[in-house]
Amino acid sequence: MPNNNCAIIVHGGAGDIPDQQVADHVDGCRLAAAAGWRILQDGGSAIDAMEAAIQMLEDLPVFDAGRGSYLTTDGIVEMDAIVMDGATLQMGATAGVQHVRHPITLARRIMERAPHNMLISAGAENFARECGLELCAAEWFETPYTRAVWQEYGRLPMLTGTVGCVARDATGALVAGTSTGGSDHKLPGRVGDVPLVGSGAYADNRSAAASATGDGDKIMRVVLSKTVCDLAGGGLPAAAAAKAAIATLAERTGGTAGIIIIDRSGRTGFAHNTRRMSRAWIDADGTLQAGIEPAAGST
Ligand code: ASP
């Protein structure tokens, strides 16, 4: 019998995920949710579960995070990530890192060990080195697909595949994390919503925890993750809060995005106004569920 306090939900991005990537997206989300869930069921913390799930997604080349991150107009990766702890409201974030294999782990180390909440670029990489984190050559992050998207800019579909996870452990503690390579063909130095607290993620044990994905330049204007947590904290069920937050984004900015949430009672929810959003989740009944509809092949 699963521990009823625990819940986990992950996403693999919201956007026009093409038919040929649908299966890999859903499989990746399932694997990540299951990995995090095992940690939670063994009595592990929400932060360990979230980190394990996102590390797995960062390593899968189908997602725009870690290996598989989109390239900037200069043809290099610049990755952003955030972690937030709902018990303490502590957070760690990083932006513009080019060689850190797991930006989510760097965000966690920043939260736990740095005297600041956010480190970027070379300073962040130096900190990662001091923490003993794994650094990789630039080529490690590149895939034939991301190079083709870069070379054929405008001729291949604009995709998304930012990854995120929200977890609730046996103590009821909530944690959220998000990791991304950012938008395809972004300008060097561009920072999106992901590392901005309240935009790419937010967590507060008193209300909810959430992770966002989609048009970051619009998401940050409505502080989407904090917005959905406030709606849930005000009493809306998780699924309704997610829907209302996405409606606010659409109404106020015209943007498209997806959001996942676990509220303080452990209820999971998600919403998106993109064609697809890949996600997987396990809540009180212990059943792994996943979705990305419409299914591949449907119009
Ligand atoms: N929100 C991310 C960004 O703007 C991209 C995404 O989620 O697909 O950097």
Side-chain angles (χ1 to χ4, degrees), residues 37-290:
W37 182 251
R38 271 193 300 277
I39 291 171
L40 295 173
Q41 292 304 297
D42 287 347
S45 63
I47 191 151
D48 284 346
M50 177 281 299
E51 183 184 9
I54 292 192
Q55 280 190 349
M56 187 172 274
L57 296 165
E58 286 175 335
D59 276 350
L60 290 173
V62 71
F63 299 110
D64 171 30
R67 184 152 185 263
S69 289
Y70 286 127
L71 307 178
T72 67
T73 53
D74 282 353
I76 51 168
V77 300
E78 291 186 354
M79 300 170 287
D80 307 336
I82 186 169
V83 162
M84 187 161 182
D85 178 339
T88 59
L89 301 187
Q90 285 183 311
M91 55 152 298
T94 189
V97 291
Q98 298 176 3
H99 304 98
V100 179
R101 177 171 173 182
H102 291 300
I104 198 68
T105 300
L106 173 55
R108 179 176 179 177
R109 291 291 179 280
I110 291 168
M111 179 175 84
E112 292 172 343
R113 298 187 192 171
H116 311 293
N117 291 343
M118 189 189 296
L119 294 174
I120 65 163
S121 307
E125 296 210 345
N126 285 339
F127 183 79
R129 211 170 280 115
E130 280 165 23
C131 291
L133 300 190
E134 186 176 348
L135 302 181
C136 300
E139 301 74 52
W140 189 85
F141 296 94
E142 206 179 298
T143 68
Y145 187 75
T146 58
R147 184 49 67 181
V149 167
W150 186 77
Q151 281 161 345
E152 304 281 315
Y153 182 58
R155 287 194 286 275
L156 288 176
M158 290 282 283
L159 308 174
T160 54
T162 290
V163 303
C165 176
V166 181
R168 183 173 191 262
D169 64 28
T171 71
L174 291 166
V175 163
T178 310
S179 180
T180 190
S183 52
D184 165 27
H185 234 74
K186 64 186 180 183
L187 292 177
R190 181 261 186 186
V191 176
D193 61 303
V194 168
L196 306 182
V197 65
S199 292
Y202 198 75
D204 183 347
N205 284 0
R206 295 183 184 179
S207 55
S211 166
T213 175
D215 182 350
D217 293 299
K218 303 260 173 62
I219 289 171
M220 66 174 80
R221 288 162 52 194
V222 297
V223 203
L224 188 64
S225 293
K226 178 73 161 80
T227 295
V228 73
C229 290
D230 286 348
L231 289 165
L236 272 189
K243 215 171 153 194
I246 292 292
T248 298
L249 172 83
E251 183 197 332
R252 300 301 307 278
T253 71
T256 56
I259 190 99
I260 56 171
I261 175 176
I262 300 178
D263 68 19
R264 63 181 170 227
S265 312
R267 290 173 297 199
T268 57
F270 69 88
H272 60 106
N273 62 348
T274 52
R275 179 158 183 259
R276 287 182 166 129
M277 175 167 74
S278 55
R279 74 261 168 204
W281 69 98
I282 308 175
D283 45 30
D285 71 359
T287 310
L288 175 61
Q289 300 180 69

Side-chain angles (χ1 to χ4, degrees), residues 10 25-35 279-280 288-290:
V10 307
H25 260 258
V26 176
D27 289 351
C29 288
R30 281 179 184 277
L31 283 173
R279 74 261 168 204
L288 175 61
Q289 300 180 69

